[in-house]
Amino acid sequence: MIIKSAEFVTSAVKPTQYPVADLPEIAFAGRSNVGKSSLINTLLNRKRLVKTSATPGRTQLINFFLINKAFSFVDLPGFGYAKVPAAVQKTWGPMIETYFSTRETLKGVVLIMDIRRIPGIQELNLIEWFAHYSIPSILILTKADKLSKTKQLHQHHLIAKALSLAAGGLIRFSAKTRQGKTEVWGAIGKLLDFHP
Ligand SMILES: Nc1nc2c(ncn2[C@@H]2O[C@H](COP(=O)(O)OP(=O)(O)OP(=O)(O)O)[C@@H](O)[C@H]2O)c(=O)[nH]1
Ligand SMILES: [Mg+2]
């Protein structure tokens, strides 16, 4: 995929603040600090388009990016970070569900999980929402560089089992080594109906 342009558009919490829905859109979801922003930056060959941080839970807004003036990427706020104030944690569910249920141009969601961790109830709930709202999903196991190849395969199979999926339904990825980047673009291209 050749990235000619990638620009931040706006941050939003509610539909009236979303940019006009006139281009196909792909959203990125996952636990806080899992590596959502790093994955987006890696896909776009940008070091700091999307802010990453060592402090989890920093992205608490829905951030919209315009790519090649042809489609949008949306960095959704992460869930599950205990230090986020209770009031913010409470608004996360409705904010995300409103986005999933109202965004007509949403073509799919990339759910990012840590390859070292068996997904929990939040990931399972998100996968249920995707099914409920008929949103196609791409499931990613990131930070693969943190494990040996043997351990990667072992975790890949355990996580697939925990999600009742075939192993082929998960893509192993690393923002550090760029492992899996081509595969992720292939999956996104299918949802956006182009060939990256
Ligand atoms: N080794 C390794 N570290 C990674 C990878 N992806 C992200 N990280 C690190 O994990 C930390 C969190 O990454 P972010 O991309 O900011 O994660 P996020 O999910 O956007 O986090 P929030 O927006 O705070 O919820 C940073 O220190 C990254 O450098 C990866 O593939 N490999
Ligand atoms: Mg982030």
Side-chain angles (χ1 to χ4, degrees):
M1 179 73 194
I2 296 165
I3 306 299
K4 284 169 278 181
S5 64
E7 51 199 288
F8 172 73
V9 179
T10 193
S11 294
V13 294
K14 54 183 184 205
T16 53
Q17 300 165 333
Y18 299 169
V20 177
D22 56 359
L23 291 171
E25 194 159 284
I26 298 288
F28 296 79
R31 183 168 293 277
S32 68
N33 212 38
V34 74
K36 294 174 296 301
S37 304
S38 301
L39 179 136
I40 297 173
N41 286 332
T42 303
L43 291 178
L44 300 176
N45 306 317
R46 298 294 193 274
K47 281 213 170 74
R48 274 177 293 271
L49 175 71
V50 189
K51 276 181 214 145
T52 60
S53 66
T55 322
R58 290 293 284 276
T59 319
Q60 291 172 4
L61 300 165
I62 302 176
N63 290 311
F64 293 82
F65 299 87
L66 175 63
I67 319 301
N68 288 354
K69 306 204 189 292
F71 56 93
S72 302
F73 272 5
V74 173
D75 191 13
L76 295 170
F79 51 81
Y81 182 55
K83 283 188 190 162
V84 169
V88 174
Q89 288 201 33
K90 259 197 195 161
T91 56
W92 183 87
M95 175 159 69
I96 300 298
E97 195 167 12
T98 301
Y99 171 77
F100 287 157
S101 59
T102 61
R103 194 68 172 161
E104 283 161 16
T105 44
L106 180 63
K107 298 294 177 201
V109 181
V110 179
L111 174 59
I112 301 144
M113 295 169 280
D114 190 317
I115 193 164
R116 298 167 297 174
R117 190 180 159 279
I118 300 298
I121 188 72
Q122 284 122 324
E123 281 88 355
L124 292 166
N125 283 343
L126 270 174
I127 292 170
E128 266 180 28
W129 278 355
F130 302 157
H132 180 76
Y133 292 112
S134 306
I135 304 168
S137 59
I138 299 169
L139 307 183
I140 305 221
L141 304 180
T142 194
K143 303 196 183 179
D145 61 276
K146 300 253 192 193
L147 299 180
S148 68
K149 194 74 203 235
T150 313
K151 282 206 173 130
Q152 284 185 31
L153 291 173
H154 181 69
Q155 282 297 104
H156 187 142
H157 282 94
L158 280 184
I159 295 170
K161 212 172 156 191
L163 297 176
S164 312
L165 287 174
L170 297 167
I171 302 174
R172 294 194 301 280
F173 178 86
S174 163
K176 198 168 169 187
T177 66
R178 299 190 174 84
Q179 166 188 348
K181 183 178 164 184
T182 309
E183 246 180 303
V184 177
W185 264 124
I188 291 174
K190 270 190 195 161
L191 298 184
L192 289 176
D193 216 9
F194 66 59
H195 304 283

